[in-house]
Amino acid sequence: MKFRTLGGVLSLAAVSLAGAGLSACGGSGSDGGGSSSPAQAAAASTGPGATDTKNCAVPYGDAPAAVSTITSGSGAGAVADLLNVLNQCATVGGETLKWTDAKNEARTACLFVPPNASKTTQLPLLVFLQGSLFPAPPQLILSDWIPLSKTADLTGDTKRPGFILLLPIGRNTHHFYPFPDNYALGWDNWYRNLDRSSPDLNLDVAAIDQFVSQVQGRGIVDNDRVYATGWSNGAALAELYALNTPSIAAAAVYSAPAPFSDVQDPCYQTPFATTMTPIMDIHNACDIIGTCQTSTQFHKDLAQLFPKLQQNVVIVDSNKQVVQSCNAACASQTIAGDPAGNLNHLIWPQVQNNAMFTWLREHPLSAKQQ
């Protein structure tokens, strides 16, 4: 299998600068039913607290992410601005969608619609959330999902091959990640306000909602099969989003940091879920900043908290083949301490694409436990 990395694709773009199955889990009530609103679920979170409670935006964890500027984070913001030049849908043949958020910030997304999609042949919608730091469109090249959007089986219906692919573009904001990803492109999964009735709804969640709605408004989406996926920082938000968005049928993500308690998060929380969205999470045995260890613990926590939630946690080696456990030598929570994990993190597991598609296909919204 020939792997391509984010670094390789960016070099081509003239920019110089990476299983154990777990079945279980449920909602914020004692029965794991997921019946609370996002606000109630967040407020009821009984996490260990924060290292600086004075600055924590209870009940949603951290405050909304600060926007990155060219001078943010010892110049990390300048790197983000440079890489943002490549966030153009035309570079990968996508249609550009636009929306302006509540802070009057222009938001965009790339849309790929197979030629067979129509009001009479409705197709699944797969929402792909980018990994942070690197521009979004090239990540679809790495995953190979643009050509697969015309052929992959997400329905079990031979008359409806393919899926509609939606790629929302992240923002330049502050992340609780090491330099240069501390002020970079990506998503704010630390401010966990997914309460759609709140005027202070997470801006990234609002943008994803809007772009999904725009595509659904065309009448070409099989609403029983709206799925979430993502890479790295995008995978973390995809999990948080899926667990608190009833219309998402299932999620399949790659290399997600723990979305409620990542290693540098000052306002971590106990995981909460308001809908039992089945989740498949693939991560490397040796992964960046100890992601295998922290993500595995996250899913164990979910299993204890929400026994009705279906999960499939898959650990892979450097060849993206399934193994049984994390590599203890790769538990470092620093960039410098885990060079092999950094590289593994930058390689999408193409050999696992069919497994991800199978997971999604087998979990339509109509089969989801409420």
Side-chain angles (χ1 to χ4, degrees):
M1 180 68 189
K2 182 179 179 181
F3 292 117
R4 293 169 289 180
T5 68
L6 285 170
V9 167
L10 292 176
S11 295
L12 292 174
V15 176
S16 59
L17 274 155
L22 174 65
S23 296
C25 289
S28 56
S30 60
D31 63 350
S35 57
S36 298
S37 71
Q40 292 170 325
S45 174
T46 55
T51 57
D52 184 2
T53 55
K54 180 176 66 174
N55 293 326
C56 289
V58 177
Y60 299 117
D62 300 89
V67 174
S68 170
T69 67
I70 195 168
T71 58
S72 295
S74 301
V79 175
D81 286 345
L82 173 63
L83 294 176
N84 197 33
V85 172
L86 295 181
N87 264 335
Q88 303 297 322
C89 297
T91 63
V92 287
E95 174 190 349
T96 300
L97 304 183
K98 297 182 179 181
W99 181 67
T100 302
D101 67 22
K103 298 297 183 182
N104 204 35
E105 187 172 358
R107 307 300 297 266
T108 60
C110 301
L111 179 65
F112 303 84
V113 180
N116 61 320
S118 68
K119 291 183 178 180
T120 55
T121 305
Q122 296 176 324
L123 296 182
L125 173 62
L126 187 55
V127 184
F128 186 107
L129 302 184
Q130 69 172 95
S132 59
L133 183 60
F134 297 99
Q139 296 182 35
L140 290 181
I141 297 174
L142 303 180
S143 68
D144 226 19
W145 283 16
I146 296 176
L148 287 171
S149 69
K150 299 179 180 179
T151 61
D153 179 11
L154 267 69
T155 65
D157 182 353
T158 58
K159 296 180 180 179
R160 291 192 298 152
F163 56 88
I164 300 162
L165 180 58
L166 176 65
L167 177 71
I169 305 296
R171 298 178 294 154
N172 288 344
T173 57
H174 177 226
H175 302 159
F176 291 104
Y177 292 147
F179 178 89
D181 202 1
N182 52 337
Y183 285 91
L185 297 166
W187 307 102
D188 180 9
N189 61 267
W190 297 273
Y191 174 56
R192 306 178 188 96
N193 183 352
L194 289 93
D195 184 357
R196 271 56 176 207
S197 65
S198 171
D200 299 314
L201 174 67
N202 179 305
L203 291 175
D204 292 334
V205 170
I208 296 166
D209 284 352
Q210 286 296 324
F211 288 127
V212 169
S213 180
Q214 284 188 30
V215 182
Q216 288 176 318
R218 300 186 182 191
I220 59 175
V221 175
D222 177 353
N223 290 323
D224 195 39
R225 296 182 180 275
V226 179
Y227 301 118
T229 186
W231 190 343
S232 187
N233 168 236
L237 183 59
E239 290 183 317
L240 178 64
Y241 187 86
L243 289 171
N244 293 280
T245 306
S247 59
I248 297 298
V253 303
Y254 173 57
S255 198
F260 290 89
S261 58
D262 200 16
V263 292
Q264 296 185 3
D265 183 1
C267 299
Y268 46 92
Q269 295 178 291
T270 295
F272 58 81
T274 54
T275 182
M276 297 299 94
T277 306
I279 293 177
M280 178 181 190
D281 187 348
I282 300 174
H283 48 264
N284 299 287
C286 185
D287 212 328
I288 196 169
I289 58 172
T291 293
C292 186
Q293 286 78 7
T294 57
S295 183
T296 298
Q297 184 59 53
F298 163 62
H299 288 285
K300 288 181 178 178
D301 291 343
L302 283 180
Q304 290 186 328
L305 290 164
F306 309 116
K308 292 183 180 179
L309 180 63
Q310 298 177 68
Q311 296 190 79
N312 183 17
V313 180
V314 178
I315 302 173
V316 296
D317 61 18
S318 59
N319 292 317
K320 310 304 180 184
Q321 300 298 319
V322 177
V323 294
Q324 297 304 308
S325 62
C326 300
N327 185 337
C330 301
S332 173
Q333 296 180 353
T334 67
I335 295 293
D338 191 9
N342 299 342
L343 178 60
N344 289 337
H345 187 76
L346 293 174
I347 303 173
W348 180 269
Q350 290 188 17
V351 295
Q352 299 297 332
N353 278 345
N354 284 339
M356 298 176 83
F357 294 149
T358 297
W359 174 261
L360 297 176
R361 181 177 67 246
E362 293 179 348
H363 293 90
L365 187 64
S366 55
K368 181 173 160 180
Q369 297 188 57
Q370 301 302 320

